[in-house]
Amino acid sequence: MAAPGRVDGQDKVIATAQQIVKSLATSKNSAEDMIRILSGFDNRLSSMNDLLPTGVAGCSSSISAEVDNRRESSATGDSRLEGAEEVIHRWESSDSLLWEASVDEAVEFLDAVDELVSFLESEYCPGELSARAEIVLQIAMARLEDEFRHLMIRNTVPLDADSVHSSIRRVSLSFPSDAGDAIEDFEGLVDEVQHQEASPEARGGIPIADDRRIELVLPEAVTDLKEIADRMIWAGYGKELCQVYSSVRRDILDECLSILGLERMSIEEVQRSEWRALDEKMKKWIQAMKVTIKILLREEKRLSEQIFAVSDDLKEECFTEASKPCILQLLNFGDAISICERSSEKLFRILDMYEALADVIPELHSLFSAEAKDLICGEAEGILRRLGDSVRGTFMEFAKNVQKEVSRKPLSGGEIHPLTRYVMNYVKLLVDYSKTLDVLLDGENVDGVKNEDTQSAGSMTPLSRSLLMLMSYLETNLDEKSKHYEDGGLQCIFLMNNTLYMVQKVRDSELLGILGDSWVRKHRAKVKQYANSYLRASWTKILSYFKDDGLGGSSGSSFGSAPKVAIKERFKSFNLAFEEIYRTQTTWKVTDSQLRADLCISISERVIPAYRAFLGRFGGHLDAGRQAAKYIKYTPEEIENFISDLFEGLSGPSNFPRKKLSS
């Protein structure tokens, strides 16, 4: 009984379908669509072709053929899906890696993926098979993600730091942070500044050629990575692929920074760092910035373009996501330095950082686009401005320190002051940055420049004006320091030594091109003025003993007892004064040998003729023998030899060699 009941039910369904078809007979297309839908429920409904009215019957054969084609395609699709499923499931539970197995295995897997994606995109993909295919595709994509990650990591070329990272040898200066620090704080610094005058190559490391190329990933692996990327992008898994790629490359770039010596530091850690340790970090940052932007990121972009060649959006996104953290880490350190407490020892290193960042900003513009460019380049340009502000502020702070340095302990012998050595070597090194400083110091309010030091305003660069200000501060400070010497002659020796040192540093360096010949001429004239002032201060009194005042008459006149006593007193006073000068001024130091020789000649030219004339006129009026030798202790030649001993910088007062004239 059950069977006939089912037949009756089927007859009713068929009868209803026939009625629907008759109602659609007026539209051939509608009838075909309805039969196609109904035949999907039950193949027996295809018998409705016989029920179609004459106007619709013409399409019944084509509908029947289409249904048959769908039935055949379904069977073929099922077969295709099973083949792809078999390959992918075979590897689902395997711990092995496809690209470590064999080329054939990898090709077979990729072909299976191709088959799946093609099947899902085909016109005849029944719902139930589509769902199966999607599940298998997800499994395949998970496998390809793992394979992609392992290929990236395993075939990454380690960074050879020795080949791309050269140390930056730049002057390490340490100016007292407190303008009132004692002069002992300069000791030990001057020679360091003098002997570390670096060339552009030394301060910036070996220049990095724009055409330098390195491999980040082995070339043979790049091809395999591209094959995987092509499939994942085709299958709609580009986002997942980008996450894998970016994660791996971020970690590798982070490791590269570590190899280059750059570690993550907070602003607080940077500001707490002791200067010498921070100086090393700043040097490493400069080279890391150049290497990272000019080499690593350029190659990183090339790598992403190779692997994601089929998608412009992905190649840009993957590069940006991989490299952005690395760049921001570099920029964050630069930002921390720009807001650190200003001190003069940091100026050159900050200038190096400023120039390094300015040099790579055009590269950043070329590497990134759209929002990433706005973010990264905007941040870099903001930090560049802040580093520039730090340079200006640090330079002006240095100038104030020079102006206010108040060490009161005079140097023995009137030698070149450590402040003078320090400032002049500091200034010489600033010339290496003349182009940068002309930009950064433009518009700075420069006071304290003496009128005689200025050139025409139109010919002076911002750096020229600033250096004239700085050296004017130094000269004023030296004038004050000279007053710490009680002896007026030693004051002049001190100023002469220091001014000549300044002249020599300018004359023998690129400072001459900035300050000009007129500055050198004016300061040479000052050296001469100080020399004349020394002669007056030290020798005027001695020369006064050779005057005729109070001695009466000429050498041919007769003398009473009073003039003889006066002559003896003159010789005695001269001997004592000269011996005192000898004992004292042999401890004074004239550093420049030529200046010392010229000064001794000038003394001799004044003293020896006057002494010889006085001796010739009045020496014969003393009683011959022991009495004469008692007062005429030295010949003119001996006096001249003694003068040549002056300014040797002996450690203590010299015992005057008491040579007696034979009777």
Side-chain angles (χ1 to χ4, degrees), residues 168 170 203 286 348-356 433:
I168 302 172
R170 194 67 180 101
R203 82 164 194 265
I286 291 162
F348 295 104
R349 201 68 72 205
I350 296 174
L351 274 165
D352 286 333
M353 290 180 66
Y354 179 93
E355 290 186 346
Y433 303 92

Side-chain angles (χ1 to χ4, degrees), residues 111-305:
D111 286 344
V113 172
D114 290 343
E115 189 67 42
L116 276 173
V117 178
S118 297
F119 175 69
L120 285 166
E121 290 184 347
S122 66
E123 185 179 358
Y124 304 111
C125 179
E128 57 191 38
L129 293 184
S130 175
R132 273 175 58 196
E134 287 286 0
I135 292 172
V136 178
L137 184 63
Q138 289 177 10
I139 296 170
M141 292 298 105
R143 161 62 69 166
L144 288 183
E145 275 189 32
D146 288 341
E147 295 284 342
F148 189 90
R149 180 182 291 104
H150 282 89
L151 276 172
M152 286 281 290
I153 295 171
R154 191 170 61 252
N155 292 283
T156 292
V157 179
L159 177 66
D160 181 4
D162 291 336
S163 69
V164 294
H165 183 270
S166 58
S167 63
I168 302 172
R169 295 185 304 274
R170 194 67 180 101
V171 183
S172 178
L173 299 172
S174 182
F175 197 94
S177 58
D178 183 352
D181 285 347
I183 197 61
E184 285 80 5
D185 292 334
F186 288 104
E187 300 298 341
L189 302 176
V190 175
D191 290 337
E192 182 181 2
V193 180
Q194 279 187 293
H195 294 99
Q196 292 184 6
E197 294 171 6
S199 64
E201 291 80 6
R203 82 164 194 265
I206 299 170
I208 297 170
D210 288 340
D211 59 351
R212 186 164 186 169
R213 296 283 295 274
I214 61 173
E215 298 292 347
L216 301 181
V217 175
L218 294 175
E220 56 270 24
V222 172
T223 302
D224 295 331
L225 290 166
K226 184 181 182 303
E227 291 288 340
I228 296 174
D230 287 348
R231 268 66 178 194
M232 293 187 70
I233 294 169
W234 183 22
Y237 283 75
K239 182 177 180 180
E240 291 79 359
L241 176 65
C242 183
Q243 289 175 346
V244 173
Y245 178 88
S246 302
S247 174
V248 171
R249 294 308 305 170
R250 271 198 304 268
D251 291 344
I252 291 169
L253 286 173
D254 190 57
E255 184 179 348
C256 287
L257 289 184
S258 296
I259 292 171
L260 292 171
L262 199 68
E263 58 189 74
R264 292 186 183 276
M265 295 181 70
S266 66
I267 291 177
E268 292 76 16
E269 288 173 326
V270 171
Q271 293 179 335
R272 288 198 304 266
S273 295
E274 183 267 338
W275 161 239
R276 292 194 181 276
L278 185 60
D279 181 50
E280 286 301 314
K281 291 180 174 64
M282 292 167 77
K283 286 192 290 187
K284 289 174 181 176
W285 182 92
I286 291 162
Q287 194 69 358
M289 178 63 78
K290 295 176 182 178
V291 170
T292 301
I293 307 301
K294 288 184 171 289
I295 297 179
L296 293 181
L297 292 192
R298 185 173 60 191
E299 295 304 314
E300 193 70 44
K301 188 174 181 70
R302 186 169 67 92
L303 179 65
S304 67
E305 288 173 344

Side-chain angles (χ1 to χ4, degrees), residues 8 44 77 84 151 178 224 226 270 289 368 386 442 490 500 513 646:
D8 291 341
R44 286 170 296 177
L151 276 172
D178 183 352
D224 295 331
K226 184 181 182 303
V270 171
M289 178 63 78
F368 296 95
R386 291 192 285 278
D442 191 19
L490 187 53
L500 181 62
L646 303 181

